[in-house]
Amino acid sequence: MSSLALSSALQAAPAEACVEPVFPVRSVSPEGVRRVQAAVQRWQSCVALAHGEDGATPAMLAQQERVALAAQAWERETARYMRGLHQSRSLQAYQDRDRASYQAGIRDQYLYGASNNGH
């Protein structure tokens, strides 16, 4: 919808008519984060146009509070997931390094031991 069409539609509709963004419990990918952020930006634009010079009504303020609380919960859970994912990847890298080191040590010990034993 063009900004002119959106502006015209909003003049006839209150900000309460702006569709609130839907927040998943968490986003698990950068694309998911971008989708939520885009939905929030569309909603903010809609509300800003609807407010105009009249100011916010109590219903609009309540809607903004709901969206703010939902956004905070989503951000907190997304950050928690991303930290856990990063920690899991770091742990996996350490485990892979340790496994490779162990296997190299076993191989070297076998080869070293074999040359000393005359095999």
Side-chain angles (χ1 to χ4, degrees):
M1 178 181 271
S2 73
S3 60
L4 181 59
L6 179 61
S7 179
S8 298
L10 289 175
Q11 288 175 357
E16 293 90 348
C18 295
V19 177
E20 291 183 27
V22 176
F23 293 93
V25 172
R26 76 186 67 78
S27 293
V28 297
S29 69
E31 296 80 21
V33 170
R34 282 191 289 275
R35 279 192 299 271
V36 172
Q37 289 173 334
V40 169
Q41 288 174 346
R42 284 191 301 274
W43 175 79
Q44 288 172 333
S45 295
C46 177
V47 170
L49 286 171
H51 277 213
E53 295 177 13
D54 296 336
T57 66
M60 294 160 91
L61 293 173
Q63 183 187 52
Q64 290 174 344
E65 182 67 20
R66 278 192 312 273
V67 170
L69 290 173
Q72 289 172 358
W74 167 77
E75 288 171 354
R76 184 175 50 252
E77 290 302 315
T78 297
R80 183 178 298 157
Y81 173 82
M82 294 298 180
R83 275 193 309 274
L85 185 62
H86 175 73
Q87 290 170 351
S88 293
R89 287 182 179 159
S90 295
L91 179 60
Q92 185 64 45
Y94 288 127
Q95 289 173 340
D96 290 346
R97 185 199 64 213
D98 290 346
R99 185 178 306 109
S101 176
Y102 173 77
Q103 289 171 344
I106 294 294
R107 183 188 64 240
D108 291 346
Q109 184 179 22
Y110 174 75
L111 292 174
Y112 178 75
S115 64
N116 278 344
N117 293 331
H119 291 89

